[in-house]
PDB file of all heavy atoms in Angstrom:
ATOM      1  N   GLU B  28      21.116  47.513  19.210  1.00 98.00           N
ATOM      2  CA  GLU B  28      20.255  47.417  20.389  1.00 98.00           C
ATOM      3  C   GLU B  28      19.644  48.785  20.708  1.00 98.00           C
ATOM      4  O   GLU B  28      18.520  48.861  21.198  1.00 98.00           O
ATOM      5  CB  GLU B  28      21.045  46.874  21.589  1.00 98.00           C
ATOM      6  CG  GLU B  28      21.285  45.373  21.478  1.00 98.00           C
ATOM      7  CD  GLU B  28      22.220  44.825  22.549  1.00 98.00           C
ATOM      8  OE1 GLU B  28      22.548  45.552  23.509  1.00 98.00           O
ATOM      9  OE2 GLU B  28      22.637  43.653  22.415  1.00 98.00           O
ATOM     10  N   ALA B  29      20.395  49.839  20.425  1.00 98.00           N
ATOM     11  CA  ALA B  29      19.838  51.178  20.637  1.00 98.00           C
ATOM     12  C   ALA B  29      18.777  51.485  19.581  1.00 98.00           C
ATOM     13  O   ALA B  29      17.719  52.027  19.885  1.00 98.00           O
ATOM     14  CB  ALA B  29      20.945  52.229  20.589  1.00 98.00           C
ATOM     15  N   LEU B  30      19.043  51.104  18.335  1.00 97.00           N
ATOM     16  CA  LEU B  30      18.180  51.544  17.240  1.00 97.00           C
ATOM     17  C   LEU B  30      17.035  50.595  16.925  1.00 97.00           C
ATOM     18  O   LEU B  30      16.201  50.899  16.080  1.00 97.00           O
ATOM     19  CB  LEU B  30      19.026  51.801  15.991  1.00 97.00           C
ATOM     20  CG  LEU B  30      19.977  52.998  16.125  1.00 97.00           C
ATOM     21  CD1 LEU B  30      20.779  53.183  14.850  1.00 97.00           C
ATOM     22  CD2 LEU B  30      19.190  54.274  16.434  1.00 97.00           C
ATOM     23  N   VAL B  31      16.980  49.454  17.602  1.00 97.00           N
ATOM     24  CA  VAL B  31      15.840  48.551  17.376  1.00 97.00           C
ATOM     25  C   VAL B  31      14.579  49.143  18.017  1.00 97.00           C
ATOM     26  O   VAL B  31      13.470  48.803  17.624  1.00 97.00           O
ATOM     27  CB  VAL B  31      16.130  47.135  17.923  1.00 97.00           C
ATOM     28  CG1 VAL B  31      16.081  47.095  19.427  1.00 97.00           C
ATOM     29  CG2 VAL B  31      15.174  46.109  17.310  1.00 97.00           C
ATOM     30  N   ASP B  32      14.764  50.050  18.938  1.00 98.00           N
ATOM     31  CA  ASP B  32      13.602  50.675  19.575  1.00 98.00           C
ATOM     32  C   ASP B  32      13.059  51.784  18.675  1.00 98.00           C
ATOM     33  O   ASP B  32      13.804  52.691  18.290  1.00 98.00           O
ATOM     34  CB  ASP B  32      14.000  51.253  20.937  1.00 98.00           C
ATOM     35  CG  ASP B  32      12.795  51.833  21.655  1.00 98.00           C
ATOM     36  OD1 ASP B  32      12.387  52.968  21.308  1.00 98.00           O
ATOM     37  OD2 ASP B  32      12.257  51.159  22.539  1.00 98.00           O
ATOM     38  N   PRO B  33      11.764  51.728  18.348  1.00 96.00           N
ATOM     39  CA  PRO B  33      11.233  52.708  17.388  1.00 96.00           C
ATOM     40  C   PRO B  33      11.273  54.154  17.897  1.00 96.00           C
ATOM     41  O   PRO B  33      11.441  55.067  17.088  1.00 96.00           O
ATOM     42  CB  PRO B  33       9.791  52.238  17.150  1.00 96.00           C
ATOM     43  CG  PRO B  33       9.483  51.268  18.234  1.00 96.00           C
ATOM     44  CD  PRO B  33      10.783  50.703  18.708  1.00 96.00           C
ATOM     45  N   VAL B  34      11.139  54.348  19.200  1.00 97.00           N
ATOM     46  CA  VAL B  34      11.217  55.727  19.724  1.00 97.00           C
ATOM     47  C   VAL B  34      12.634  56.264  19.538  1.00 97.00           C
ATOM     48  O   VAL B  34      12.835  57.399  19.087  1.00 97.00           O
ATOM     49  CB  VAL B  34      10.801  55.775  21.212  1.00 97.00           C
ATOM     50  CG1 VAL B  34      11.085  57.158  21.804  1.00 97.00           C
ATOM     51  CG2 VAL B  34       9.322  55.435  21.364  1.00 97.00           C
ATOM     52  N   ARG B  35      13.622  55.438  19.852  1.00 98.00           N
ATOM     53  CA  ARG B  35      15.012  55.895  19.691  1.00 98.00           C
ATOM     54  C   ARG B  35      15.350  56.102  18.214  1.00 98.00           C
ATOM     55  O   ARG B  35      16.077  57.032  17.854  1.00 98.00           O
ATOM     56  CB  ARG B  35      15.963  54.899  20.352  1.00 98.00           C
ATOM     57  CG  ARG B  35      15.785  54.863  21.868  1.00 98.00           C
ATOM     58  CD  ARG B  35      16.937  54.207  22.581  1.00 98.00           C
ATOM     59  NE  ARG B  35      17.009  52.774  22.433  1.00 98.00           N
ATOM     60  CZ  ARG B  35      16.489  51.897  23.296  1.00 98.00           C
ATOM     61  NH1 ARG B  35      15.825  52.301  24.362  1.00 98.00           N
ATOM     62  NH2 ARG B  35      16.637  50.599  23.092  1.00 98.00           N
ATOM     63  N   ARG B  36      14.801  55.239  17.365  1.00 97.00           N
ATOM     64  CA  ARG B  36      15.056  55.407  15.925  1.00 97.00           C
ATOM     65  C   ARG B  36      14.398  56.704  15.437  1.00 97.00           C
ATOM     66  O   ARG B  36      14.926  57.390  14.561  1.00 97.00           O
ATOM     67  CB  ARG B  36      14.542  54.188  15.168  1.00 97.00           C
ATOM     68  CG  ARG B  36      15.306  53.929  13.896  1.00 97.00           C
ATOM     69  CD  ARG B  36      15.182  52.495  13.420  1.00 97.00           C
ATOM     70  NE  ARG B  36      13.841  52.102  13.096  1.00 97.00           N
ATOM     71  CZ  ARG B  36      13.115  51.228  13.794  1.00 97.00           C
ATOM     72  NH1 ARG B  36      13.611  50.658  14.864  1.00 97.00           N
ATOM     73  NH2 ARG B  36      11.894  50.921  13.422  1.00 97.00           N
TER      74      ARG B  36
END
Side-chain angles (χ1 to χ4, degrees):
Chain B
E28 284 172 10
L30 293 180
V31 73
D32 183 281
V34 171
R35 294 196 287 266
R36 208 158 62 249

